[in-house]
Amino acid sequence: MKSPADLTGYRMLLSFAHPDDESFGMGGAIAYYARRGVAISLICSTNGDVGTVDPELLAGYQSIGELRLKELRCAAEQLGIQEIITYGYRDSGMMGSPENDDPACLWQAGEDAVTGRIVRDIRRLRPHVVVTFDPYGGYGHPDHITMHRATTRAFHAAADPAQYPEHAAEGLTPHRPAKLYYTTFPSLPLRAMVWSARLRGQDPRRMGTNKDLDLQAALDKLLPSTTRLNVAPYQAAWDAATSCHASQQNPRQMQSIVARLSRLLFRHQDFTRAFPPPNGREPRERDLFAGVPLG
């Protein structure tokens, strides 16, 4: 394998749900690897078209989705993502919201259909490493959970010639990526957010504008970190990417003391390796591509 300073020739596929998931979730890590030569592709399965956006920001755009995808292209340029793959599904809402009944939304798309699309992209791009959400989707969003399930299935199905054999007509052959990772929050900042909410007299199970964000559940369902990256040198690129998503609340620009402390702690980004499964005895990894042969 090449030295950590030069990963030219390696490929990574990110599989997420919304425009801004890439930046708010793992922007530092994306910048880290793009600047080391990794070819990074991003699946964004929805257009980000459900939600409230300042009407002034919509001037010149036909829809919220058009604006959100433009913001995504801006962020991708800042981070160094080479290819954006969009599936065009409508956003779902949080669990139990009426948006989830819309037949065009990702939650209603059917896991088999979404899995097949991801398998096709894995076979076309042939990544060494695939990254997606954890089983809880970070904070319980149905679109995140859908992408976790479909991507995990696709990771394994892509290597099996008996699954989605119609891809052969497109010249796509089976491919097994070397590693699958789930994004995860460092536990200390998440604990600080739960603690801060309680200190302010807020219920950590009913946070956010619509009171549908359960920080306690996110903490309870947090997976152990198997891999930690030092992304401190890439904070400027990370900030630039998150700033592209001007229509969304940017967690890296919040002014509270706890938010500033969390930003300091987020100098590291954590991941959970799902494949190959950890044995519980190995030390924490410092590189998603550790041990991956170039080929």
Side-chain angles (χ1 to χ4, degrees), residues 140-185:
H141 197 293
D143 288 340
H144 295 190
I145 293 171
T146 296
M147 291 306 289
H148 159 80
R149 292 173 177 170
T151 304
T152 301
R153 284 183 58 191
F155 178 90
H156 298 287
D160 183 355
Q163 299 202 48
Y164 305 96
E166 65 273 18
H167 293 168
E170 305 172 41
L172 302 177
T173 57
H175 174 69
R176 163 75 78 180
K179 289 184 174 183
L180 172 64
Y181 286 95
Y182 301 150
T183 56
T184 187
F185 291 112

Short mmCIF file of all heavy atoms in Angstrom, two decimals, residues 140-185:
data_model
loop_
_atom_site.label_atom_id
_atom_site.label_comp_id
_atom_site.label_asym_id
_atom_site.label_seq_id
_atom_site.Cartn_x
_atom_site.Cartn_y
_atom_site.Cartn_z
N GLY A 140 -31.89 9.16 13.84
CA GLY A 140 -33.19 8.54 13.64
C GLY A 140 -33.96 8.98 12.43
O GLY A 140 -35.15 8.67 12.31
N HIS A 141 -33.32 9.67 11.49
CA HIS A 141 -34.05 10.12 10.30
C HIS A 141 -34.33 8.93 9.37
O HIS A 141 -33.42 8.16 9.06
CB HIS A 141 -33.25 11.19 9.54
CG HIS A 141 -34.08 11.97 8.58
ND1 HIS A 141 -34.64 11.41 7.45
CD2 HIS A 141 -34.47 13.27 8.58
CE1 HIS A 141 -35.31 12.33 6.79
NE2 HIS A 141 -35.25 13.46 7.46
N PRO A 142 -35.58 8.77 8.92
CA PRO A 142 -35.92 7.63 8.07
C PRO A 142 -35.08 7.54 6.80
O PRO A 142 -34.74 6.42 6.36
CB PRO A 142 -37.39 7.85 7.73
CG PRO A 142 -37.93 8.64 8.87
CD PRO A 142 -36.80 9.54 9.29
N ASP A 143 -34.74 8.66 6.18
CA ASP A 143 -33.91 8.62 4.97
C ASP A 143 -32.52 8.09 5.27
O ASP A 143 -31.93 7.34 4.48
CB ASP A 143 -33.82 10.00 4.33
CG ASP A 143 -35.12 10.44 3.68
OD1 ASP A 143 -35.95 9.57 3.37
OD2 ASP A 143 -35.31 11.66 3.48
N HIS A 144 -31.97 8.49 6.42
CA HIS A 144 -30.65 8.00 6.81
C HIS A 144 -30.70 6.50 7.07
O HIS A 144 -29.79 5.75 6.67
CB HIS A 144 -30.18 8.71 8.08
CG HIS A 144 -29.93 10.17 7.91
ND1 HIS A 144 -29.31 10.94 8.88
CD2 HIS A 144 -30.22 11.02 6.89
CE1 HIS A 144 -29.23 12.20 8.47
NE2 HIS A 144 -29.78 12.27 7.26
N ILE A 145 -31.75 6.06 7.74
CA ILE A 145 -31.89 4.63 8.04
C ILE A 145 -32.05 3.82 6.76
O ILE A 145 -31.48 2.74 6.60
CB ILE A 145 -33.08 4.41 9.00
CG1 ILE A 145 -32.76 5.04 10.37
CG2 ILE A 145 -33.41 2.93 9.15
CD1 ILE A 145 -33.93 5.09 11.33
N THR A 146 -32.84 4.36 5.81
CA THR A 146 -32.99 3.68 4.52
C THR A 146 -31.65 3.53 3.81
O THR A 146 -31.33 2.45 3.29
CB THR A 146 -33.96 4.46 3.62
OG1 THR A 146 -35.27 4.46 4.21
CG2 THR A 146 -34.05 3.85 2.23
N MET A 147 -30.85 4.58 3.80
CA MET A 147 -29.56 4.51 3.11
C MET A 147 -28.59 3.58 3.84
O MET A 147 -27.79 2.90 3.21
CB MET A 147 -28.97 5.90 2.95
CG MET A 147 -29.75 6.78 1.96
SD MET A 147 -29.97 6.00 0.34
CE MET A 147 -28.28 6.08 -0.30
N HIS A 148 -28.67 3.55 5.17
CA HIS A 148 -27.85 2.58 5.90
C HIS A 148 -28.20 1.15 5.47
O HIS A 148 -27.31 0.35 5.15
CB HIS A 148 -28.06 2.72 7.40
CG HIS A 148 -27.66 1.49 8.16
ND1 HIS A 148 -26.34 1.21 8.47
CD2 HIS A 148 -28.39 0.43 8.62
CE1 HIS A 148 -26.27 0.05 9.09
NE2 HIS A 148 -27.50 -0.45 9.21
N ARG A 149 -29.48 0.83 5.49
CA ARG A 149 -29.90 -0.54 5.18
C ARG A 149 -29.58 -0.91 3.73
O ARG A 149 -29.05 -1.99 3.46
CB ARG A 149 -31.40 -0.68 5.44
CG ARG A 149 -31.78 -0.57 6.92
CD ARG A 149 -33.29 -0.55 7.09
NE ARG A 149 -33.68 -0.51 8.49
CZ ARG A 149 -34.91 -0.30 8.92
NH1 ARG A 149 -35.90 -0.10 8.04
NH2 ARG A 149 -35.18 -0.28 10.21
N ALA A 150 -29.92 -0.01 2.81
CA ALA A 150 -29.71 -0.31 1.39
C ALA A 150 -28.23 -0.39 1.05
O ALA A 150 -27.81 -1.26 0.27
CB ALA A 150 -30.41 0.74 0.53
N THR A 151 -27.42 0.49 1.62
CA THR A 151 -25.99 0.48 1.32
C THR A 151 -25.31 -0.74 1.91
O THR A 151 -24.44 -1.36 1.27
CB THR A 151 -25.32 1.76 1.85
OG1 THR A 151 -25.98 2.91 1.30
CG2 THR A 151 -23.85 1.81 1.47
N THR A 152 -25.69 -1.12 3.11
CA THR A 152 -25.12 -2.31 3.72
C THR A 152 -25.45 -3.55 2.88
O THR A 152 -24.58 -4.40 2.62
CB THR A 152 -25.62 -2.48 5.16
OG1 THR A 152 -25.25 -1.32 5.92
CG2 THR A 152 -25.02 -3.72 5.81
N ARG A 153 -26.70 -3.66 2.45
CA ARG A 153 -27.08 -4.78 1.58
C ARG A 153 -26.31 -4.72 0.26
O ARG A 153 -25.81 -5.75 -0.23
CB ARG A 153 -28.58 -4.73 1.30
CG ARG A 153 -29.46 -5.20 2.44
CD ARG A 153 -30.92 -5.17 2.03
NE ARG A 153 -31.17 -5.99 0.86
CZ ARG A 153 -32.30 -5.97 0.17
NH1 ARG A 153 -33.30 -5.16 0.52
NH2 ARG A 153 -32.47 -6.76 -0.89
N ALA A 154 -26.20 -3.53 -0.32
CA ALA A 154 -25.55 -3.39 -1.62
C ALA A 154 -24.06 -3.73 -1.53
O ALA A 154 -23.49 -4.29 -2.47
CB ALA A 154 -25.73 -1.97 -2.14
N PHE A 155 -23.43 -3.37 -0.41
CA PHE A 155 -22.01 -3.66 -0.23
C PHE A 155 -21.74 -5.15 -0.44
O PHE A 155 -20.78 -5.53 -1.11
CB PHE A 155 -21.58 -3.23 1.17
CG PHE A 155 -20.14 -3.51 1.49
CD1 PHE A 155 -19.16 -2.58 1.21
CD2 PHE A 155 -19.76 -4.71 2.08
CE1 PHE A 155 -17.82 -2.84 1.50
CE2 PHE A 155 -18.44 -4.98 2.38
CZ PHE A 155 -17.47 -4.04 2.09
N HIS A 156 -22.58 -5.99 0.13
CA HIS A 156 -22.39 -7.43 0.01
C HIS A 156 -22.94 -7.98 -1.31
O HIS A 156 -22.34 -8.87 -1.92
CB HIS A 156 -23.04 -8.13 1.20
CG HIS A 156 -22.44 -7.75 2.52
ND1 HIS A 156 -21.21 -8.19 2.93
CD2 HIS A 156 -22.91 -6.93 3.50
CE1 HIS A 156 -20.92 -7.68 4.13
NE2 HIS A 156 -21.94 -6.93 4.50
N ALA A 157 -24.07 -7.43 -1.77
CA ALA A 157 -24.68 -7.93 -3.00
C ALA A 157 -23.82 -7.65 -4.22
O ALA A 157 -23.85 -8.42 -5.20
CB ALA A 157 -26.06 -7.30 -3.18
N ALA A 158 -23.06 -6.56 -4.19
CA ALA A 158 -22.28 -6.17 -5.37
C ALA A 158 -21.25 -7.22 -5.76
O ALA A 158 -20.83 -7.28 -6.92
CB ALA A 158 -21.59 -4.83 -5.11
N ALA A 159 -20.84 -8.05 -4.80
CA ALA A 159 -19.84 -9.08 -5.08
C ALA A 159 -20.45 -10.38 -5.58
O ALA A 159 -19.72 -11.28 -6.00
CB ALA A 159 -19.02 -9.36 -3.82
N ASP A 160 -21.77 -10.47 -5.55
CA ASP A 160 -22.45 -11.73 -5.87
C ASP A 160 -23.02 -11.66 -7.29
O ASP A 160 -23.97 -10.92 -7.55
CB ASP A 160 -23.58 -11.94 -4.86
CG ASP A 160 -24.32 -13.27 -5.06
OD1 ASP A 160 -24.02 -13.98 -6.04
OD2 ASP A 160 -25.19 -13.56 -4.23
N PRO A 161 -22.49 -12.45 -8.23
CA PRO A 161 -22.99 -12.39 -9.61
C PRO A 161 -24.44 -12.82 -9.76
O PRO A 161 -25.09 -12.49 -10.76
CB PRO A 161 -22.05 -13.33 -10.37
CG PRO A 161 -21.47 -14.22 -9.33
CD PRO A 161 -21.39 -13.41 -8.08
N ALA A 162 -24.97 -13.54 -8.77
CA ALA A 162 -26.37 -13.98 -8.84
C ALA A 162 -27.34 -12.86 -8.50
O ALA A 162 -28.54 -12.98 -8.77
CB ALA A 162 -26.59 -15.16 -7.91
N GLN A 163 -26.85 -11.78 -7.92
CA GLN A 163 -27.71 -10.67 -7.55
C GLN A 163 -27.59 -9.55 -8.58
O GLN A 163 -26.49 -9.17 -8.96
CB GLN A 163 -27.37 -10.15 -6.15
CG GLN A 163 -27.56 -11.21 -5.07
CD GLN A 163 -27.75 -10.60 -3.70
OE1 GLN A 163 -28.54 -9.68 -3.52
NE2 GLN A 163 -27.01 -11.12 -2.72
N TYR A 164 -28.73 -9.08 -9.02
CA TYR A 164 -28.81 -8.04 -10.05
C TYR A 164 -28.00 -8.43 -11.29
O TYR A 164 -27.13 -7.68 -11.76
CB TYR A 164 -28.36 -6.69 -9.49
CG TYR A 164 -29.13 -6.30 -8.26
CD1 TYR A 164 -28.63 -6.55 -6.98
CD2 TYR A 164 -30.38 -5.69 -8.37
CE1 TYR A 164 -29.35 -6.22 -5.85
CE2 TYR A 164 -31.12 -5.36 -7.23
CZ TYR A 164 -30.60 -5.62 -5.97
OH TYR A 164 -31.32 -5.29 -4.85
N PRO A 165 -28.27 -9.61 -11.84
CA PRO A 165 -27.51 -10.07 -13.01
C PRO A 165 -27.73 -9.20 -14.24
O PRO A 165 -26.92 -9.25 -15.17
CB PRO A 165 -28.04 -11.49 -13.23
CG PRO A 165 -29.40 -11.49 -12.62
CD PRO A 165 -29.29 -10.59 -11.43
N GLU A 166 -28.80 -8.41 -14.25
CA GLU A 166 -29.05 -7.52 -15.39
C GLU A 166 -27.95 -6.50 -15.58
O GLU A 166 -27.79 -5.91 -16.65
CB GLU A 166 -30.40 -6.81 -15.23
CG GLU A 166 -30.51 -5.84 -14.05
CD GLU A 166 -30.92 -6.49 -12.75
OE1 GLU A 166 -30.82 -7.74 -12.64
OE2 GLU A 166 -31.34 -5.75 -11.83
N HIS A 167 -27.14 -6.26 -14.56
CA HIS A 167 -26.05 -5.30 -14.68
C HIS A 167 -24.99 -5.76 -15.69
O HIS A 167 -24.24 -4.95 -16.23
CB HIS A 167 -25.38 -5.05 -13.33
CG HIS A 167 -26.27 -4.36 -12.35
ND1 HIS A 167 -25.97 -4.25 -11.00
CD2 HIS A 167 -27.47 -3.73 -12.51
CE1 HIS A 167 -26.92 -3.60 -10.38
NE2 HIS A 167 -27.84 -3.27 -11.27
N ALA A 168 -24.92 -7.07 -15.92
CA ALA A 168 -23.92 -7.59 -16.86
C ALA A 168 -24.14 -7.05 -18.26
O ALA A 168 -23.17 -6.85 -19.02
CB ALA A 168 -23.96 -9.12 -16.87
N ALA A 169 -25.39 -6.77 -18.62
CA ALA A 169 -25.68 -6.22 -19.94
C ALA A 169 -25.11 -4.83 -20.11
O ALA A 169 -24.93 -4.35 -21.24
CB ALA A 169 -27.19 -6.20 -20.17
N GLU A 170 -24.81 -4.17 -18.98
CA GLU A 170 -24.20 -2.83 -19.02
C GLU A 170 -22.68 -2.91 -18.92
O GLU A 170 -22.01 -1.87 -18.81
CB GLU A 170 -24.74 -1.98 -17.87
CG GLU A 170 -26.26 -1.87 -17.82
CD GLU A 170 -26.75 -1.18 -16.56
OE1 GLU A 170 -26.12 -0.17 -16.15
OE2 GLU A 170 -27.74 -1.64 -15.98
N GLY A 171 -22.14 -4.12 -18.93
CA GLY A 171 -20.70 -4.30 -18.81
C GLY A 171 -20.20 -4.17 -17.38
O GLY A 171 -18.99 -3.99 -17.16
N LEU A 172 -21.10 -4.30 -16.40
CA LEU A 172 -20.72 -4.16 -15.00
C LEU A 172 -20.54 -5.54 -14.38
O LEU A 172 -21.44 -6.37 -14.41
CB LEU A 172 -21.79 -3.38 -14.23
CG LEU A 172 -22.10 -1.98 -14.78
CD1 LEU A 172 -23.23 -1.34 -13.98
CD2 LEU A 172 -20.85 -1.10 -14.74
N THR A 173 -19.37 -5.78 -13.83
CA THR A 173 -19.06 -7.07 -13.24
C THR A 173 -19.05 -6.97 -11.71
O THR A 173 -18.93 -5.87 -11.15
CB THR A 173 -17.68 -7.56 -13.72
OG1 THR A 173 -16.70 -6.56 -13.40
CG2 THR A 173 -17.70 -7.80 -15.23
N PRO A 174 -19.21 -8.09 -11.01
CA PRO A 174 -19.24 -8.04 -9.54
C PRO A 174 -17.97 -7.40 -8.96
O PRO A 174 -16.88 -7.50 -9.53
CB PRO A 174 -19.35 -9.52 -9.15
CG PRO A 174 -20.04 -10.15 -10.31
CD PRO A 174 -19.50 -9.44 -11.53
N HIS A 175 -18.17 -6.76 -7.83
CA HIS A 175 -17.04 -6.09 -7.16
C HIS A 175 -17.26 -6.14 -5.67
O HIS A 175 -18.36 -5.85 -5.18
CB HIS A 175 -16.94 -4.63 -7.61
CG HIS A 175 -15.90 -3.86 -6.85
ND1 HIS A 175 -14.55 -4.09 -6.98
CD2 HIS A 175 -16.01 -2.85 -5.94
CE1 HIS A 175 -13.88 -3.27 -6.19
NE2 HIS A 175 -14.74 -2.51 -5.54
N ARG A 176 -16.23 -6.50 -4.93
CA ARG A 176 -16.26 -6.50 -3.47
C ARG A 176 -15.36 -5.39 -2.94
O ARG A 176 -14.13 -5.50 -3.03
CB ARG A 176 -15.77 -7.84 -2.93
CG ARG A 176 -15.38 -7.82 -1.45
CD ARG A 176 -16.58 -7.80 -0.52
NE ARG A 176 -17.17 -9.12 -0.40
CZ ARG A 176 -18.23 -9.37 0.36
NH1 ARG A 176 -18.82 -8.38 1.00
NH2 ARG A 176 -18.72 -10.60 0.41
N PRO A 177 -15.91 -4.29 -2.43
CA PRO A 177 -15.05 -3.30 -1.77
C PRO A 177 -14.34 -3.92 -0.58
O PRO A 177 -14.83 -4.89 0.03
CB PRO A 177 -16.04 -2.21 -1.33
CG PRO A 177 -17.25 -2.42 -2.20
CD PRO A 177 -17.32 -3.90 -2.43
N ALA A 178 -13.21 -3.37 -0.23
CA ALA A 178 -12.42 -3.96 0.85
C ALA A 178 -13.01 -3.67 2.22
O ALA A 178 -12.90 -4.49 3.14
CB ALA A 178 -10.99 -3.43 0.80
N LYS A 179 -13.64 -2.49 2.38
CA LYS A 179 -14.11 -2.09 3.71
C LYS A 179 -15.44 -1.34 3.62
O LYS A 179 -15.68 -0.60 2.65
CB LYS A 179 -13.08 -1.20 4.41
CG LYS A 179 -11.81 -1.91 4.87
CD LYS A 179 -10.93 -0.93 5.63
CE LYS A 179 -9.72 -1.60 6.24
NZ LYS A 179 -8.91 -0.66 7.05
N LEU A 180 -16.24 -1.50 4.69
CA LEU A 180 -17.48 -0.75 4.86
C LEU A 180 -17.43 -0.08 6.22
O LEU A 180 -17.17 -0.73 7.24
CB LEU A 180 -18.69 -1.69 4.79
CG LEU A 180 -20.06 -1.08 5.13
CD1 LEU A 180 -20.45 0.00 4.12
CD2 LEU A 180 -21.12 -2.17 5.21
N TYR A 181 -17.70 1.22 6.23
CA TYR A 181 -17.70 2.00 7.47
C TYR A 181 -19.02 2.71 7.66
O TYR A 181 -19.69 3.11 6.70
CB TYR A 181 -16.59 3.05 7.45
CG TYR A 181 -15.20 2.51 7.64
CD1 TYR A 181 -14.40 2.21 6.54
CD2 TYR A 181 -14.67 2.30 8.91
CE1 TYR A 181 -13.11 1.70 6.71
CE2 TYR A 181 -13.39 1.81 9.08
CZ TYR A 181 -12.61 1.51 7.98
OH TYR A 181 -11.34 1.02 8.15
N TYR A 182 -19.36 2.90 8.94
CA TYR A 182 -20.51 3.74 9.32
C TYR A 182 -19.98 4.99 10.02
O TYR A 182 -19.04 4.91 10.82
CB TYR A 182 -21.44 3.00 10.28
CG TYR A 182 -22.01 1.72 9.75
CD1 TYR A 182 -22.33 0.67 10.62
CD2 TYR A 182 -22.25 1.53 8.38
CE1 TYR A 182 -22.87 -0.52 10.15
CE2 TYR A 182 -22.79 0.34 7.91
CZ TYR A 182 -23.09 -0.68 8.79
OH TYR A 182 -23.62 -1.86 8.32
N THR A 183 -20.57 6.13 9.69
CA THR A 183 -20.21 7.35 10.40
C THR A 183 -20.73 7.27 11.84
O THR A 183 -21.76 6.66 12.11
CB THR A 183 -20.82 8.58 9.72
OG1 THR A 183 -22.24 8.42 9.61
CG2 THR A 183 -20.23 8.79 8.33
N THR A 184 -20.00 7.87 12.76
CA THR A 184 -20.44 7.90 14.15
C THR A 184 -19.94 9.17 14.81
O THR A 184 -18.90 9.72 14.43
CB THR A 184 -19.94 6.67 14.93
OG1 THR A 184 -20.52 6.66 16.23
CG2 THR A 184 -18.43 6.67 15.06
N PHE A 185 -20.71 9.67 15.75
CA PHE A 185 -20.30 10.86 16.51
C PHE A 185 -19.27 10.47 17.55
O PHE A 185 -19.40 9.41 18.19
CB PHE A 185 -21.49 11.48 17.25
CG PHE A 185 -22.52 12.11 16.37
CD1 PHE A 185 -23.78 11.56 16.25
CD2 PHE A 185 -22.24 13.28 15.68
CE1 PHE A 185 -24.74 12.13 15.46
CE2 PHE A 185 -23.20 13.87 14.88
CZ PHE A 185 -24.45 13.29 14.77
#
